[in-house]
Each structure stands twice: as structure tokens, then as C-alpha cells.
């Protein structure tokens, strides 16, 4: 079975500061990795995904994530955040072979302070 | 594309009443998922379908919950009878298994309040 751990439940940062949201996963098989964002009172929106190839993945809104197989991590980063980035961020994995089930982490609430 | 459509967006009901949540997946998608989100338990997968067939309903909390997908463009999640602890946001998502991976597209959710 797969599991996802988001190491920080809340991350407060100042506007224009860099941010890193941490995600570690556990799986005995190869997986695809995802970051979703949920703005207040909205559904989840795909931010970026890692399927294969380059371990540095760029997504929407200036976010990027790096897949590290040896550390089983997929941390999300942004060099300079904006107030509009205030949201909850979810890391998720799914097996490459077999069932399509996404396994989500508990989420990290990113709060941007002016 | 209109994306995943859910209705109603908000539902307030009294304990014991039947509640039906509706979902229209993205056209062409062959997987449909129902999730529940609460502060205490986060995002939970309730059930998912492939080509209208239920594949895994192990997340359905109890017999009061049932889900159907009569055709490729419509699914329902029913709670009968509803209880206050069912209060949550229910999301529907759909995906298409292809070389782009298993990206799921989420609807806006239905916020259910059971009084």
C-alpha cells in the first residue's frame, strides 16, 4: 500500500518570500506523484505532476517540485509567494500499474502574510 | 469543457432524511471517484467506478451510503438516512487513464450539513 506524509500542517510565510512544502511517500511499487491546490471553498486543482523523466517538474502559478527517489520525497517550492497563493496544498500518489486510486496526504495550509 | 459538475453545491437537511448528491464527469473520462472531506479525517476516497462499474467501495462508511453510475455521464451518491456526522464536503472527480498518467479532475464539491 502507498502512504503520503506531509510534514507540515501549516506554513506561514511573508509575501515575496520563498516557500517549500514537504512531502514524503512510501510505496513498494513505482508511483506517479501529484500536487493539488485547494483554494477556499473550491475543489482541488492540479498544480503539477511527476510521471517520468526529469526529476524537476514545473507547474502552474510558478510552482515547481523535485522528485527524489532515494529520499522518497516530492517537495513543492516557489521562489516568491503572493497573497493569492494562500490555500491548502495536497500531495498525492498513485500506482503506475493497477488501480487508479489516489492516496492523499493530510494537506498543508499555506498562509501568506503581507 | 465544462469540467466536472456537481449538484447541489450546498445541501442542508435534517437528520433522518435522504440526501442525493449528483455528479457529471468530464466527457470521455472512464473513471469516476467520490471523496469526502472533513477537518478531522481530511480527504477520504469513498468509492470509484471504471466504465460505470464500481471497482472499490471499501471507503464507503456504512450501509447508509450507496453510489450508482447508470451511464457514463452521471453518478449519484445517496445517504439514507442521513446523520449529523455525515456533514462534510463531498467531491466528485473523473479521470482518463492514458499516457499522461492518472490525473483526476475535481468538481467544486457539495457542502452537506445535516442538522
Amino acid at each position: 500500500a502507498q502512504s503520503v506524509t506531509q510534514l507540515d500542517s501549516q506554513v506561514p510565510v511573508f509575501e515575496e518570500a520563498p516557500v517549500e512544502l514537504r512531502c514524503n511517500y512510501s510505496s513498494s511499487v513505482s508511483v506517479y506523484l501529484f500536487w493539488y491546490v485547494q483554494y477556499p471553498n473550491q475543489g482541488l486543482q492540479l498544480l503539477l505532476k511527476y510521471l517520468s523523466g526529469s526529476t524537476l517538474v514545473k507547474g502552474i502559478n510558478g510552482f515547481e517540485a523535485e522528485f527524489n527517489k532515494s529520499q522518497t520525497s516530492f517537495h513543492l517550492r516557489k521562489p516568491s509567494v503572493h497573497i493569492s497563493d494562500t490555500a491548502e496544498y495536497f500531495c498525492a500518489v498513485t500506482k503506475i500499474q493497477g488501480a487508479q486510486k489516489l492516496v492523499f496526504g493530510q494537506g498543508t495550509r499555506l498562509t501568506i502574510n503581507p | 469543457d465544462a469540467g466536472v459538475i456537481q449538484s447541489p453545491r450546498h445541501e442542508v437537511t435534517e437528520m433522518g432524511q435522504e440526501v442525493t448528491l449528483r455528479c457529471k464527469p468530464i466527457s470521455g473520462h472512464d473513471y469516476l471517484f467520490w471523496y469526502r472531506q472533513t477537518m478531522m479525517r481530511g480527504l477520504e476516497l469513498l468509492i470509484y467506478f471504471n466504465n460505470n462499474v464500481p471497482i472499490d467501495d471499501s471507503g464507503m462508511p456504512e450501509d447508509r451510503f450507496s453510489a450508482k453510475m447508470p451511464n457514463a455521464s452521471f453518478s449519484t451518491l445517496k445517504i439514507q438516512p442521513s446523520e449529523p456526522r455525515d456533514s462534510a464536503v463531498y467531491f466528485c472527480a473523473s479521470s482518463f487513464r492514458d499516457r499522461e498518467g492518472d490525473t483526476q479532475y475535481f468538481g467544486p464539491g457539495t457542502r452537506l450539513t445535516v442538522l
Side-chain angles (χ1 to χ4, degrees):
Chain A
Q2 293 72 48
S3 67
V4 177
T5 302
Q6 291 184 240
L7 297 159
D8 306 293
S9 59
Q10 297 187 55
V11 173
V13 296
F14 287 107
E15 194 172 15
E16 298 184 7
V19 69
E20 179 179 80
L21 306 184
R22 297 179 293 168
C23 172
N24 286 92
Y25 70 94
S26 173
S27 177
S28 57
V29 298
S30 296
V31 295
Y32 294 137
L33 296 133
F34 303 81
W35 275 99
Y36 282 84
V37 59
Q38 184 179 28
Y39 299 105
N41 299 313
Q42 295 188 27
L44 278 71
Q45 178 183 354
L46 181 69
L47 206 53
L48 49 78
K49 60 186 175 184
Y50 174 78
L51 305 180
S52 64
S54 172
T55 57
L56 183 63
V57 180
K58 293 189 184 299
I60 61 171
N61 301 339
F63 283 93
E64 63 181 32
E66 184 151 24
F67 170 55
N68 188 318
K69 189 173 182 179
S70 62
Q71 297 187 5
T72 59
S73 68
F74 190 53
H75 300 334
L76 181 70
R77 295 190 291 260
K78 185 170 182 177
S80 175
V81 295
H82 303 285
I83 293 285
S84 59
D85 293 323
T86 296
E88 186 133 20
Y89 293 78
F90 292 92
C91 183
V93 301
T94 186
K95 293 191 296 185
I96 292 176
Q97 299 292 335
Q100 272 232 348
K101 292 170 65 169
L102 268 178
V103 177
F104 284 92
Q106 283 298 100
T108 297
R109 185 170 299 277
L110 177 63
T111 304
I112 312 300
N113 299 306
Chain B
D1 198 317
V4 176
I5 298 172
Q6 291 186 248
S7 65
R9 291 294 310 275
H10 302 273
E11 177 80 35
V12 180
T13 190
E14 292 187 347
M15 183 174 63
Q17 295 298 306
E18 178 180 294
V19 175
T20 299
L21 310 181
R22 297 172 176 79
C23 175
K24 177 179 169 55
I26 292 173
S27 177
H29 282 190
D30 54 353
Y31 284 83
L32 184 138
F33 305 81
W34 282 102
Y35 292 89
R36 178 171 68 175
Q37 185 178 37
T38 61
M39 289 291 291
M40 292 297 295
R41 300 174 68 92
L43 265 168
E44 303 174 274
L45 176 65
L46 300 177
I47 185 172
Y48 78 95
F49 296 82
N50 177 219
N51 292 323
N52 314 335
V53 176
I55 302 299
D56 185 347
D57 65 355
S58 60
M60 296 285 262
E62 48 198 275
D63 291 346
R64 298 184 297 106
F65 285 70
S66 63
K68 294 182 180 180
M69 192 164 186
N71 57 62
S73 59
F74 184 66
S75 177
T76 59
L77 178 68
K78 187 175 294 187
I79 309 172
Q80 165 64 14
S82 58
E83 296 182 3
R85 60 192 168 120
D86 302 330
S87 297
V89 181
Y90 291 81
F91 289 104
C92 177
S94 69
S95 69
F96 175 64
R97 167 154 277 187
D98 62 5
R99 59 187 293 187
E100 293 301 311
D102 306 334
T103 302
Q104 293 185 22
Y105 296 87
F106 284 74
T110 295
R111 184 174 296 276
L112 174 65
T113 302
V114 183
L115 303 174

Coordinates of all heavy atoms in Angstrom, one line a residue, chain B residues 37-95:
Chain B
Q37 N -14.6 15.1 2.4 CA -13.5 15.9 3.1 C -14.1 16.5 4.4 O -15.1 17.2 4.4 CB -13.0 17.1 2.2 CG -11.8 17.8 2.8 CD -11.3 18.9 1.9 OE1 -12.1 19.6 1.2 NE2 -10.0 19.1 1.8
T38 N -13.4 16.2 5.5 CA -13.7 16.8 6.8 C -12.5 17.3 7.4 O -11.4 16.9 7.0 CB -14.4 15.8 7.7 OG1 -13.5 14.7 7.9 CG2 -15.7 15.2 7.1
M39 N -12.6 18.2 8.4 CA -11.5 18.7 9.1 C -10.7 17.6 9.8 O -9.5 17.5 9.9 CB -11.9 19.7 10.1 CG -12.3 21.0 9.5 SD -11.0 21.9 8.7 CE -10.0 22.4 10.1
M40 N -11.5 16.7 10.4 CA -10.9 15.6 11.2 C -10.2 14.5 10.4 O -9.1 14.1 10.8 CB -12.0 15.0 12.1 CG -12.6 15.9 13.2 SD -11.3 16.4 14.3 CE -10.9 14.9 15.1
R41 N -10.8 14.1 9.3 CA -10.3 13.0 8.6 C -9.6 13.3 7.2 O -9.1 12.4 6.5 CB -11.4 12.0 8.4 CG -12.1 11.5 9.7 CD -13.3 10.7 9.4 NE -12.9 9.4 8.8 CZ -12.7 8.3 9.4 NH1 -12.7 8.3 10.8 NH2 -12.4 7.2 8.8
G42 N -9.7 14.6 6.9 CA -9.1 15.0 5.6 C -9.9 14.5 4.4 O -11.1 14.4 4.5
L43 N -9.2 14.2 3.3 CA -9.8 13.7 2.1 C -9.9 12.1 2.2 O -8.9 11.5 2.3 CB -9.0 14.1 0.9 CG -9.4 15.3 0.2 CD1 -8.3 15.7 -0.8 CD2 -10.7 15.2 -0.6
E44 N -11.1 11.6 2.0 CA -11.2 10.1 2.0 C -11.9 9.7 0.7 O -12.9 10.3 0.3 CB -12.2 9.7 3.2 CG -11.8 10.1 4.5 CD -12.9 9.8 5.5 OE1 -13.9 10.6 5.7 OE2 -12.9 8.7 6.1
L45 N -11.3 8.7 0.1 CA -12.0 8.1 -1.1 C -13.1 7.2 -0.6 O -12.9 6.3 0.2 CB -10.9 7.3 -1.9 CG -11.5 6.6 -3.1 CD1 -12.0 7.5 -4.1 CD2 -10.4 5.7 -3.7
L46 N -14.3 7.4 -1.1 CA -15.4 6.6 -0.7 C -15.6 5.4 -1.7 O -15.7 4.3 -1.2 CB -16.7 7.4 -0.7 CG -16.7 8.6 0.2 CD1 -18.0 9.4 0.1 CD2 -16.5 8.2 1.7
I47 N -15.6 5.7 -3.0 CA -15.9 4.7 -4.0 C -15.4 5.2 -5.3 O -15.3 6.4 -5.5 CB -17.4 4.4 -4.1 CG1 -17.6 3.2 -5.0 CG2 -18.2 5.6 -4.5 CD1 -19.1 2.7 -5.0
Y48 N -15.0 4.3 -6.2 CA -14.7 4.7 -7.6 C -15.2 3.7 -8.6 O -15.3 2.5 -8.3 CB -13.2 5.1 -7.8 CG -12.2 4.0 -7.9 CD1 -11.9 3.5 -9.2 CD2 -11.6 3.4 -6.8 CE1 -10.9 2.5 -9.3 CE2 -10.7 2.4 -6.9 CZ -10.3 2.0 -8.2 OH -9.4 1.0 -8.3
F49 N -15.5 4.2 -9.8 CA -16.1 3.4 -10.9 C -15.1 3.5 -12.0 O -14.4 4.5 -12.3 CB -17.4 4.1 -11.3 CG -18.5 4.1 -10.3 CD1 -18.6 5.0 -9.3 CD2 -19.5 3.1 -10.4 CE1 -19.6 5.1 -8.4 CE2 -20.5 3.1 -9.4 CZ -20.6 4.1 -8.5
N50 N -15.1 2.4 -12.8 CA -14.4 2.3 -14.1 C -15.4 1.9 -15.1 O -16.0 0.8 -15.0 CB -13.2 1.4 -14.0 CG -12.5 1.3 -15.4 OD1 -12.1 0.2 -15.8 ND2 -12.4 2.4 -16.1
N51 N -15.6 2.7 -16.2 CA -16.6 2.3 -17.2 C -18.0 2.0 -16.5 O -18.6 0.9 -16.9 CB -16.1 1.2 -18.1 CG -15.0 1.6 -18.9 OD1 -14.9 2.7 -19.4 ND2 -14.0 0.7 -19.1
N52 N -18.4 2.8 -15.6 CA -19.7 2.7 -14.9 C -19.8 1.6 -13.9 O -20.9 1.4 -13.3 CB -20.8 2.6 -15.9 CG -20.7 3.6 -17.1 OD1 -20.1 4.6 -16.9 ND2 -21.3 3.2 -18.2
V53 N -18.8 0.8 -13.7 CA -18.8 -0.4 -12.8 C -18.1 0.0 -11.5 O -16.9 0.5 -11.6 CB -18.1 -1.6 -13.5 CG1 -18.1 -2.8 -12.5 CG2 -18.9 -2.0 -14.7
P54 N -18.7 -0.2 -10.4 CA -18.0 0.0 -9.1 C -16.8 -0.9 -9.0 O -16.9 -2.1 -9.1 CB -19.0 -0.2 -8.0 CG -20.0 -1.0 -8.7 CD -20.0 -0.7 -10.1
I55 N -15.6 -0.3 -8.7 CA -14.4 -1.1 -8.6 C -14.0 -1.3 -7.1 O -13.6 -2.4 -6.7 CB -13.2 -0.4 -9.3 CG1 -13.6 -0.2 -10.8 CG2 -11.9 -1.2 -9.2 CD1 -13.9 -1.5 -11.6
D56 N -14.1 -0.3 -6.3 CA -13.7 -0.3 -5.0 C -14.6 0.6 -4.1 O -14.6 1.8 -4.3 CB -12.2 0.1 -4.9 CG -11.6 0.0 -3.4 OD1 -12.4 -0.3 -2.5 OD2 -10.4 0.1 -3.3
D57 N -15.4 -0.1 -3.3 CA -16.2 0.7 -2.4 C -15.8 0.5 -0.9 O -16.6 0.7 0.0 CB -17.7 0.3 -2.6 CG -18.0 -1.1 -2.2 OD1 -17.0 -1.8 -1.8 OD2 -19.1 -1.5 -2.2
S58 N -14.6 0.2 -0.7 CA -14.1 -0.1 0.7 C -14.1 1.2 1.5 O -14.1 1.1 2.8 CB -12.7 -0.7 0.6 OG -11.8 0.2 0.0
G59 N -14.2 2.3 0.9 CA -14.2 3.6 1.7 C -15.6 4.0 2.1 O -15.7 5.0 2.9
M60 N -16.6 3.4 1.6 CA -18.0 3.7 2.0 C -18.2 3.4 3.5 O -18.0 2.3 3.9 CB -19.0 3.0 1.1 CG -18.9 3.3 -0.3 SD -19.6 4.9 -0.7 CE -21.2 4.4 -1.3
P61 N -18.6 4.5 4.2 CA -18.5 4.3 5.7 C -19.5 3.2 6.2 O -19.2 2.5 7.1 CB -18.9 5.7 6.2 CG -19.3 6.5 5.1 CD -18.9 5.8 3.8
E62 N -20.6 3.1 5.7 CA -21.6 2.1 6.2 C -22.7 2.0 5.2 O -22.8 2.6 4.1 CB -22.1 2.5 7.5 CG -22.6 4.0 7.6 CD -22.7 4.5 9.1 OE1 -23.7 4.2 9.7 OE2 -21.7 5.1 9.5
D63 N -23.6 1.1 5.5 CA -24.7 0.7 4.6 C -25.6 1.9 4.2 O -26.4 1.9 3.3 CB -25.6 -0.4 5.1 CG -24.8 -1.7 5.1 OD1 -23.7 -1.7 4.5 OD2 -25.2 -2.7 5.8
R64 N -25.6 2.9 5.0 CA -26.4 4.1 4.7 C -26.0 4.8 3.5 O -26.7 5.6 2.9 CB -26.4 5.1 5.9 CG -26.9 4.5 7.2 CD -26.9 5.6 8.3 NE -25.6 6.1 8.7 CZ -25.1 7.3 8.3 NH1 -25.9 8.1 7.6 NH2 -23.9 7.7 8.6
F65 N -24.8 4.6 3.0 CA -24.2 5.2 1.8 C -24.3 4.2 0.7 O -24.0 3.0 0.8 CB -22.7 5.5 2.1 CG -22.5 6.7 2.9 CD1 -22.8 6.7 4.3 CD2 -22.0 7.9 2.4 CE1 -22.5 7.8 5.1 CE2 -21.8 9.0 3.2 CZ -22.0 8.9 4.6
S66 N -24.7 4.8 -0.5 CA -24.8 4.0 -1.7 C -24.4 4.9 -2.9 O -24.7 6.1 -2.8 CB -26.1 3.3 -1.9 OG -27.1 4.3 -2.1
A67 N -23.8 4.3 -3.9 CA -23.5 5.1 -5.1 C -23.8 4.3 -6.3 O -23.7 3.1 -6.3 CB -22.0 5.5 -5.1
K68 N -24.2 5.0 -7.4 CA -24.6 4.4 -8.6 C -24.0 5.2 -9.8 O -23.8 6.4 -9.6 CB -26.1 4.3 -8.8 CG -26.8 3.4 -7.8 CD -28.3 3.3 -8.1 CE -29.0 2.4 -7.1 NZ -30.4 2.3 -7.3
M69 N -23.8 4.5 -10.9 CA -23.4 5.2 -12.1 C -24.1 4.5 -13.2 O -23.6 3.6 -13.9 CB -21.9 5.1 -12.3 CG -21.4 6.0 -13.4 SD -19.6 6.3 -13.3 CE -19.4 7.5 -14.6
P70 N -25.4 5.0 -13.5 CA -26.2 4.4 -14.5 C -25.7 4.5 -15.9 O -26.0 3.7 -16.8 CB -27.5 5.0 -14.3 CG -27.2 6.3 -13.7 CD -26.0 6.1 -12.8
N71 N -24.9 5.6 -16.2 CA -24.3 5.7 -17.5 C -23.0 6.6 -17.4 O -22.7 7.0 -16.3 CB -25.3 6.4 -18.5 CG -25.8 7.8 -17.9 OD1 -25.0 8.7 -17.8 ND2 -27.1 7.9 -17.7
A72 N -22.3 6.7 -18.5 CA -21.0 7.4 -18.5 C -21.0 8.8 -18.1 O -20.0 9.4 -17.8 CB -20.3 7.2 -19.8
S73 N -22.2 9.4 -18.1 CA -22.3 10.9 -17.8 C -23.0 11.3 -16.6 O -23.3 12.4 -16.3 CB -22.9 11.6 -19.0 OG -24.2 11.1 -19.2
F74 N -23.2 10.3 -15.7 CA -24.0 10.6 -14.5 C -23.7 9.6 -13.3 O -23.7 8.4 -13.6 CB -25.5 10.6 -14.8 CG -26.4 11.1 -13.7 CD1 -26.3 12.3 -13.2 CD2 -27.3 10.2 -13.1 CE1 -27.1 12.7 -12.1 CE2 -28.1 10.5 -12.1 CZ -28.0 11.8 -11.6
S75 N -23.6 10.2 -12.2 CA -23.4 9.4 -11.0 C -24.1 10.0 -9.8 O -24.2 11.2 -9.7 CB -21.9 9.2 -10.6 OG -21.8 8.4 -9.4
T76 N -24.6 9.2 -8.9 CA -25.2 9.7 -7.7 C -24.6 9.0 -6.4 O -24.1 7.9 -6.5 CB -26.7 9.4 -7.6 OG1 -26.9 8.0 -7.7 CG2 -27.4 10.1 -8.8
L77 N -24.5 9.8 -5.4 CA -24.2 9.3 -4.0 C -25.3 9.6 -3.1 O -25.8 10.7 -3.0 CB -22.9 10.0 -3.5 CG -22.4 9.6 -2.1 CD1 -21.9 8.2 -2.1 CD2 -21.3 10.6 -1.7
K78 N -25.9 8.5 -2.5 CA -27.0 8.7 -1.7 C -26.7 8.3 -0.3 O -26.0 7.3 0.0 CB -28.2 7.8 -2.3 CG -29.5 8.0 -1.6 CD -30.6 7.1 -2.3 CE -30.8 7.6 -3.7 NZ -32.0 6.9 -4.3
I79 N -27.3 9.1 0.6 CA -27.2 8.8 2.1 C -28.6 8.7 2.6 O -29.4 9.6 2.5 CB -26.4 9.9 2.8 CG1 -25.1 10.2 2.2 CG2 -26.2 9.5 4.3 CD1 -24.4 11.4 2.7
Q80 N -28.9 7.5 3.2 CA -30.2 7.3 3.7 C -30.2 6.3 4.9 O -29.8 5.1 4.6 CB -31.1 6.7 2.6 CG -32.4 6.1 3.0 CD -33.4 7.0 3.7 OE1 -33.2 8.2 3.6 NE2 -34.4 6.5 4.3
P81 N -30.6 6.7 6.1 CA -30.9 8.0 6.5 C -29.6 8.8 6.8 O -28.6 8.3 7.2 CB -31.7 7.8 7.8 CG -31.1 6.5 8.3 CD -30.7 5.7 7.1
S82 N -29.7 10.1 6.7 CA -28.5 11.0 7.0 C -28.4 11.2 8.5 O -29.4 11.2 9.2 CB -28.6 12.3 6.2 OG -29.8 13.0 6.6
E83 N -27.2 11.4 8.9 CA -26.9 11.7 10.3 C -26.0 13.0 10.4 O -25.2 13.3 9.4 CB -26.2 10.5 11.0 CG -27.0 9.3 11.0 CD -26.3 8.1 11.7 OE1 -25.2 8.3 12.2 OE2 -27.0 7.0 11.8
P84 N -26.0 13.6 11.5 CA -25.1 14.8 11.6 C -23.6 14.6 11.3 O -23.0 15.4 10.8 CB -25.3 15.3 13.1 CG -26.7 14.8 13.4 CD -26.9 13.5 12.7
R85 N -23.1 13.4 11.7 CA -21.7 13.1 11.4 C -21.4 12.9 9.9 O -20.2 12.8 9.5 CB -21.3 11.8 12.1 CG -22.1 10.6 11.8 CD -21.7 9.5 12.8 NE -22.7 8.4 12.6 CZ -22.3 7.1 12.4 NH1 -21.0 6.9 12.2 NH2 -23.2 6.2 12.3
D86 N -22.4 12.9 9.1 CA -22.2 12.9 7.6 C -21.9 14.3 7.1 O -21.6 14.4 5.9 CB -23.5 12.3 6.9 CG -23.8 11.0 7.4 OD1 -22.9 10.2 7.8 OD2 -25.0 10.6 7.4
S87 N -22.0 15.3 7.9 CA -21.8 16.7 7.4 C -20.3 16.8 7.0 O -19.4 16.4 7.7 CB -22.0 17.7 8.6 OG -23.4 17.7 8.9
A88 N -20.1 17.2 5.7 CA -18.8 17.3 5.1 C -19.0 17.9 3.7 O -20.1 18.2 3.3 CB -18.3 15.8 5.0
V89 N -17.8 18.0 3.1 CA -17.8 18.4 1.6 C -17.6 17.2 0.8 O -16.6 16.4 1.1 CB -16.8 19.5 1.3 CG1 -16.9 19.9 -0.2 CG2 -17.0 20.7 2.2
Y90 N -18.4 16.9 -0.1 CA -18.3 15.7 -0.9 C -17.9 16.1 -2.3 O -18.5 17.0 -3.0 CB -19.7 15.0 -1.0 CG -20.0 14.3 0.3 CD1 -20.6 15.1 1.3 CD2 -19.8 13.0 0.6 CE1 -20.9 14.5 2.6 CE2 -20.1 12.4 1.8 CZ -20.6 13.2 2.8 OH -20.9 12.6 4.0
F91 N -16.8 15.5 -2.8 CA -16.2 15.8 -4.1 C -16.4 14.7 -5.0 O -16.2 13.5 -4.6 CB -14.7 16.2 -4.0 CG -14.4 17.5 -3.3 CD1 -14.0 17.5 -2.0 CD2 -14.6 18.7 -4.0 CE1 -13.7 18.7 -1.4 CE2 -14.3 19.9 -3.4 CZ -13.9 19.9 -2.1
C92 N -16.7 15.0 -6.3 CA -16.6 14.0 -7.3 C -15.4 14.4 -8.2 O -15.1 15.6 -8.4 CB -17.9 14.1 -8.1 SG -18.0 13.1 -9.6
A93 N -14.7 13.4 -8.7 CA -13.6 13.6 -9.6 C -13.7 12.6 -10.8 O -14.3 11.5 -10.6 CB -12.3 13.5 -8.9
S94 N -13.1 12.9 -11.9 CA -13.1 12.0 -13.0 C -11.7 12.0 -13.6 O -10.9 13.0 -13.5 CB -14.2 12.3 -14.0 OG -13.9 13.5 -14.7
S95 N -11.4 10.9 -14.3 CA -10.1 10.8 -15.0 C -10.1 9.9 -16.2 O -11.1 9.1 -16.3 CB -9.0 10.3 -14.0 OG -9.2 9.0 -13.7

